[in-house]
């Protein structure tokens, strides 16, 4: 439920603006108050009258509105909400946000705010795929903007592909996740997830079988308890959960950098299956057979240990640092030694022998090792493991 919550809804100028009307209804049904802002282009697609009628509030659209400035001011307008939602976020609005431009009310509000922003992109498939839009998307994600959608499907322009705005109920789910209230409200938790890809040459890489399922479930469970979650993920098979700020990386070194950028955090959970080594002699062009029958020899260099780096930070160390230990034998002994060596607070040890079906599967059998020793958990779904771990993290941060 969203009662007592205020959403500042910025409606951008695209055909998907009609879905913003339904979004307003759905939000109000759940008890949220909606302050609508429309760009000039949005008013070409839906009328401010419809938006105001559904929101039950006046529509703000002009930057230089003397009455509004006298009553409230655009700076204050940007701060009264619990969440700012941009739907549809057009390519143009995304570009303005990424550049920090402030040439109309919507962009000025987005620049002036210290409130979290969730956007639901909507545009033509080519515009979405354009390197400029993808660059802007990466920048906005790095700035902490939450993203819902876009979906694949038929588009109003007659093309097919990614670019359709997420459906109103999907946006509502992302809003609810972002505003979840609970014991972790006000806390920032960092989660790493997925495998890393370490390039051999521009087309080949070394990877591992991690799907990212456990990391995604943990990030989702932490967000559901109200945490602000930064989710640093390698190329995972499982999508990130709603309501978390996603930072996508490929290599271990990029992951370390993204983690350092995301700090400070109250707690950090390192669920990523980071490659221990990278190819030291990776080639910047595709390696080819030369007919001699000699295979290339790869040399390896050790990757930075992200968990150990963060666990051993002096000032700025998260209060709680949680690592994982995926083991195939002597699980408890190895995991206990790992906890001491890396100096993390907790280790979640799991048995990844192929016959368990855990790596890439939907269940996990873990032992949580804290300063008080090991606790064996029953075999549970990865979601249940995530919920239990999130509950324990919430207790530890109290
Ligand atoms: O040493 P090992 O890879 O088994 O340790 C596993 C734990 O360390 C996991 O929590 C993993 O996310 C983290 N790790 C890391 N950076 C590495 C290697 C592992 O953060 N380079």
């Amino acid at each position: 439920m969203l009662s007592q919550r205020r959403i500042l809804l910025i409606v951008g100028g695209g055909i998907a603006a009609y879905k913003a009307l339904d979004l307003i209804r759905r939000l109000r049904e759940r008890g949220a108050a909606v302050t609508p802002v429309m760009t000039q282009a949005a008013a070409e697609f839906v009328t401010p009258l419809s938006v105001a009628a559904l929101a039950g509030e006046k529509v703000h659209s002009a930057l230089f509105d003397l009455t509004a400035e006298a009553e409230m001011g655009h700076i204050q307008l940007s701060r009264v909400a619990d969440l700012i939602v941009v739907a549809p976020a057009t390519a143009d609005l995304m570009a303005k946000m990424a550049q920090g431009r402030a040439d109309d009310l919507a962009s000025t509000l987005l620049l002036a705010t210290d409130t979290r922003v969730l956007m639901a992109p909507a545009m033509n498939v080519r515009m979405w795929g354009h390197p400029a839009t993808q660059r802007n998307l990466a920048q906005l994600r790095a700035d902490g903007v939450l993203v819902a959608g876009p979906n694949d499907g038929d588009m109003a322009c007659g093309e097919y592909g990614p670019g359709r705005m997420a459906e109103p109920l999907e946006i509502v789910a992302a809003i609810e996740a972002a505003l979840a209230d609970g014991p972790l409200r006000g806390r920032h938790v960092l989660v790493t997830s997925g495998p890393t890809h370490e390039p051999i040459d521009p087309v080949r890489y070394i990877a591992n079988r991690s799907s990212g399922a456990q990391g995604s479930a943990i990030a989702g469970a932490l967000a559901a308890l109200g945490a602000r979650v930064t989710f640093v993920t390698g190329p995972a098979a499982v999508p990130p959960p709603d309501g978390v700020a996603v930072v996508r990386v490929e290599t271990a070194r990029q992951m370390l950098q993204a983690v350092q950028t995301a700090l400070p955090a109250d707690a950090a959970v390192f669920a990523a299956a980071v490659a221990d080594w990278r190819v030291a002699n990776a080639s910047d062009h595709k390696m080819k057979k030369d007919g001699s029958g000699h295979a290339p020899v790869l040399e390896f260099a050790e990757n930075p240990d992200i968990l150990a780096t963060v666990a051993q930070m002096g000032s700025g160390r998260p209060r709680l640092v949680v690592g994982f230990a995926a083991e195939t034998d002597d699980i408890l002994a190895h995991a206990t030694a790992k906890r001491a060596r890396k100096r993390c607070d907790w280790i979640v040890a799991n048995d990844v022998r192929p016959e368990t079906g855990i790596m890439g599967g939907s269940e996990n059998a873990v032992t949580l090792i804290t300063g008080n020793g090991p606790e064996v958990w029953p075999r549970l779904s990865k979601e249940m493991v995530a919920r239990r771990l999130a509950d324990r993290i919430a207790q530890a941060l109290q």
Side-chain angles (χ1 to χ4, degrees):
M1 285 306 274
L2 293 168
S3 51
Q4 309 292 320
R5 301 305 195 130
R6 177 166 290 276
I7 309 290
L8 184 82
L9 175 66
I10 296 178
V11 184
I15 185 67
Y18 78 91
K19 291 193 200 170
L21 298 175
D22 193 33
L23 176 62
I24 296 172
R25 281 188 51 220
R26 303 295 181 180
L27 289 170
R28 299 222 37 219
E29 269 168 19
R30 284 160 180 76
V34 178
T35 306
V37 173
M38 293 176 75
T39 63
Q40 211 178 351
E44 303 287 336
F45 292 91
V46 287
T47 71
L49 193 59
S50 317
V51 172
L54 286 166
E57 289 193 21
K58 127 179 202 189
V59 172
H60 301 263
S61 52
L63 184 54
F64 301 108
D65 175 338
L66 288 181
T67 328
E69 287 307 309
E71 280 170 6
M72 189 188 232
H74 61 267
I75 302 289
Q76 213 188 332
L77 184 60
S78 76
R79 309 250 167 106
V80 292
D82 297 294
L83 186 71
I84 298 185
V85 176
V86 187
T90 59
D92 180 57
L93 252 177
M94 282 177 58
K96 281 184 180 169
M97 287 165 75
Q99 286 178 19
R101 287 178 58 186
D103 57 6
D104 63 1
L105 181 63
S107 53
T108 304
L109 291 175
L110 287 160
L111 195 61
T113 193
D114 53 6
T115 304
R116 275 192 304 163
V117 176
L118 181 143
M119 66 173 183
M123 66 198 70
N124 166 272
V125 53
R126 294 262 163 78
M127 291 169 82
W128 175 251
H130 194 283
T133 304
Q134 292 300 311
R135 253 191 332 267
N136 292 335
L137 176 67
Q139 182 61 54
L140 292 168
R141 283 202 154 117
D143 293 345
V145 172
L146 305 170
V147 186
N151 295 340
D152 278 10
D154 287 323
M155 317 221 2
C157 52
E159 292 184 60
Y160 182 92
R164 267 169 75 110
M165 189 166 87
E167 295 305 317
L169 285 178
E170 292 171 325
I171 301 174
V172 168
I175 293 170
E176 283 177 335
L179 290 177
D181 210 354
L184 287 173
R185 191 163 155 77
R187 306 284 189 199
H188 178 212
V189 185
L190 175 71
V191 179
T192 69
S193 184
T196 62
H197 284 184
E198 307 295 335
I200 297 171
D201 68 18
V203 296
R204 304 180 178 99
Y205 56 82
I206 292 178
N208 60 63
R209 295 186 194 281
S210 165
S211 63
Q214 187 63 80
S216 253
I218 292 169
L222 290 162
L225 294 186
R228 177 166 74 82
V229 178
T230 304
F231 185 63
V232 179
T233 178
V238 167
D242 283 331
V244 306
V246 182
V247 184
R248 292 178 200 273
V249 297
E250 288 210 345
T251 67
R253 287 189 293 176
Q254 290 167 354
M255 188 173 274
L256 175 62
Q257 197 169 18
V259 163
Q260 285 170 329
T261 305
L263 291 174
D266 297 286
V269 181
F270 294 90
V274 183
D276 289 323
W277 298 281
R278 65 178 176 277
V279 180
N281 58 341
S283 169
D284 53 14
H285 54 268
K286 187 181 169 199
M287 291 177 173
K288 294 211 184 298
K289 286 182 278 196
D290 62 6
S292 69
H294 292 299
V297 176
L298 299 181
E299 286 162 23
F300 289 91
E302 200 166 321
N303 268 330
D305 189 316
I306 305 165
L307 166 63
T309 305
V310 172
Q312 291 166 35
M313 280 171 70
S315 64
R317 180 192 191 274
R319 257 167 66 199
L320 184 69
V321 176
V322 183
F324 273 70
E327 305 287 350
T328 53
D329 50 282
D330 277 343
I331 297 161
L332 206 55
H334 280 136
T336 306
K338 197 166 284 181
R339 175 174 174 270
R341 191 172 66 245
K342 302 207 184 200
R343 295 203 222 134
C344 55
D345 302 297
W346 299 352
I347 281 270
V348 181
N350 55 352
D351 184 346
V352 290
R353 280 173 301 154
E355 58 268 33
T356 62
I358 284 173
M359 201 96 174
S362 61
E363 291 187 338
N364 208 350
V366 312
T367 300
L368 177 67
I369 304 172
T370 69
N372 299 327
E375 267 174 46
V376 181
W377 290 4
R379 190 173 169 125
L380 297 165
S381 68
K382 288 185 176 171
E383 275 68 34
M384 282 308 296
V385 168
R387 273 193 236 164
R388 270 176 95 141
L389 187 64
D391 284 340
R392 293 294 294 267
I393 291 171
Q395 280 167 21
L397 291 184
Q398 253 165 20

